[in-house]
Amino acid sequence: MLQKAYGKSCLSKMQTYEWYKTFKGGREGVQDLPRAGRPSIVSTDENIEKIKNMVMDNRRLSVREVAHEVEMSHMSVHNILSEVLGMRRVAARLVPKELNFLQKEHRKAVAEDMISRASSDFTFMKRITTGDETWVYEYDMQTSQQSSEYRLENEPNPKKPRQSRSKIKVMLTVFFDYHRVVYSEFLPDGQTVNKEYYLSVMRRLRENIRRKRLDLWKNNSRILQHDNALSYTSILVREFLTKNSTNVIEQAPYSPDMASCDFSYFRNSQKELKALLSSAFKKCFEEWEKRWRICIASDGAYFEGDKINLDD
């Protein structure tokens, strides 16, 4: 009879039996009966505002501490922080130093200059040769995510032996442009990256540009970009670059977040360097230009890890 009258809205057979038993026992209403414990609804405007003020006063409070203070469950506080207030707990990101006002303005000015040059000359990005060094290890440790596996509920968890990072390593110097790698070499055993060694690298790089980039070589339109390491900016190296009429782009100091190189491409060996597609280098340069714009939007402050909408 109930199914005929209410169709899909009808109670199940077991629920009907339970309510019948309850009413036969003397219950007359269908409203929830009072019970002990916290109220079922805790996300009131008052609680939300109280939690918001607590976290804004001390952003390092734990969910447990907040829950104890407002006398709410751990899960309720977590839901208010994440779902209602849209907050998440993030670890502090290490930066090279605390930038002062002038250093921020310098970073911003360099980014604005680069964007201006790229906007006025569509060949600007394609004339830049940039590079840096990175350590290449004999092997890389697998992260927890990389070693994770799909397992059934009754199967044991995968195991792997504890592993330390390889002590065998060699430094790889790589220079590339918008299209592909221009020059790369490994640091010889016992050699350090000093001004004399870097000068020899510049000579070999210049010869490779002459052989591989004839159009840039003939009209001397090539541009070099590297960071501000002491060996790079030594008088010996600068005199060599000036003597050979090499245009050099300024790199703002203490600014690894504005560097063009993404050495996630270069973790393994020269074999992988040669296998990289031209699109990988193009993407790197496009990301570089995006970093200039983010720097300007951040007023010269460090921005690595921040979510910045360039459309605003």
Side-chain angles (χ1 to χ4, degrees):
M1 290 172 63
L2 287 171
Q3 288 175 342
K4 186 176 181 179
Y6 297 101
K8 294 182 179 180
S9 301
C10 180
L11 294 174
S12 68
K13 189 175 182 180
M14 289 304 299
Q15 286 178 318
T16 304
Y17 286 161
E18 290 176 3
W19 277 107
Y20 173 80
K21 182 179 179 181
T22 303
F23 287 132
K24 190 175 182 180
R27 183 170 177 175
E28 298 180 352
V30 296
Q31 293 78 17
D32 288 339
L33 297 176
R35 58 181 183 270
R38 292 187 176 92
S40 58
I41 300 176
V42 294
S43 298
T44 62
D45 292 341
E46 182 182 356
N47 286 338
I48 293 172
E49 188 65 24
K50 187 175 181 180
I51 291 174
K52 179 181 177 181
N53 292 335
M54 287 181 61
V55 176
M56 295 303 291
D57 289 340
N58 183 1
R59 292 177 178 266
R60 295 190 176 183
L61 283 174
S62 66
V63 174
R64 192 176 301 279
E65 290 171 328
V66 176
H68 177 74
E69 184 68 24
V70 297
E71 297 182 347
M72 291 169 56
S73 70
H74 183 281
M75 184 58 66
S76 297
V77 172
H78 180 271
N79 288 338
I80 290 176
L81 287 171
S82 59
E83 302 297 333
V84 181
L85 298 177
M87 304 181 77
R88 60 190 180 95
R89 194 174 185 91
V90 295
R93 183 178 291 271
L94 294 175
V95 295
K97 63 170 294 182
E98 187 72 29
L99 296 172
N100 58 38
F101 172 77
L102 291 177
Q103 289 168 334
K104 290 180 180 179
E105 286 297 303
H106 187 195
R107 280 165 49 88
K108 188 176 177 181
V110 169
E112 289 174 337
D113 176 62
M114 295 291 282
I115 290 176
S116 175
R117 296 171 70 176
S119 301
S120 60
D121 181 3
F122 71 93
T123 66
F124 174 69
M125 298 290 284
K126 297 180 180 180
R127 293 189 286 115
I128 299 174
T129 301
T130 183
D132 207 345
E133 298 98 7
T134 185
W135 286 109
V136 177
Y137 293 85
E138 183 183 23
Y139 60 84
D140 288 325
M141 295 183 296
Q142 279 190 328
T143 64
S144 298
Q145 181 64 30
Q146 290 172 329
S147 59
S148 61
E149 302 175 3
Y150 286 105
R151 293 293 180 102
L152 296 174
E153 186 177 353
N154 59 348
E155 289 185 308
N157 291 339
K159 309 292 191 303
K160 69 172 185 176
R162 187 179 297 277
Q163 193 177 34
S164 59
R165 195 164 196 175
S166 170
K167 295 181 180 179
I168 301 175
K169 61 181 182 179
V170 62
M171 181 169 284
L172 174 64
T173 301
V174 181
F175 286 91
F176 63 98
D177 60 12
Y178 194 85
H179 302 288
R180 62 183 66 87
V181 172
V182 178
Y183 178 67
S184 64
E185 69 172 58
F186 287 106
L187 184 71
D189 289 340
Q191 177 66 57
T192 58
V193 182
N194 51 31
K195 58 185 179 182
E196 290 80 10
Y197 170 74
Y198 194 69
L199 176 61
S200 67
V201 172
M202 288 290 98
R203 289 194 175 109
R204 289 188 287 274
L205 172 63
R206 182 171 181 270
E207 178 61 22
N208 275 266
I209 292 176
R210 185 187 67 81
R211 291 189 295 104
K212 298 179 180 181
R213 300 292 184 269
L214 288 176
D215 53 337
L216 300 181
W217 180 265
K218 289 179 179 179
N219 55 22
N220 193 29
S221 60
R222 62 192 184 280
I223 303 172
L224 174 66
Q225 194 275 339
H226 53 191
D227 61 33
N228 298 309
L230 292 177
S231 56
Y232 299 1
T233 58
S234 65
I235 295 177
L236 189 65
V237 173
R238 282 186 290 171
E239 286 179 346
F240 173 80
L241 296 175
T242 302
K243 178 182 177 182
N244 291 281
S245 303
T246 304
N247 299 310
V248 180
I249 294 177
E250 179 185 9
Q251 167 74 356
Y254 312 111
S255 301
D257 53 344
M258 290 175 63
S260 58
C261 299
D262 183 356
F263 276 109
S264 61
Y265 294 145
F266 307 144
R267 295 289 184 189
N268 298 318
S269 67
Q270 286 184 322
K271 181 179 178 181
E272 291 204 11
L273 286 178
K274 295 177 181 178
L276 287 173
L277 299 175
S278 176
S279 58
F281 298 101
K282 179 181 177 181
K283 181 181 178 182
C284 181
F285 273 73
E286 290 172 350
E287 181 66 23
W288 190 21
E289 183 174 356
K290 181 180 178 181
R291 285 171 176 264
W292 303 335
R293 299 185 185 279
I294 295 176
C295 178
I296 296 171
S298 305
D299 287 328
Y302 288 124
F303 52 81
E304 195 72 45
D306 296 340
K307 293 183 178 179
I308 299 174
N309 188 359
L310 295 176
D311 296 329
D312 293 344

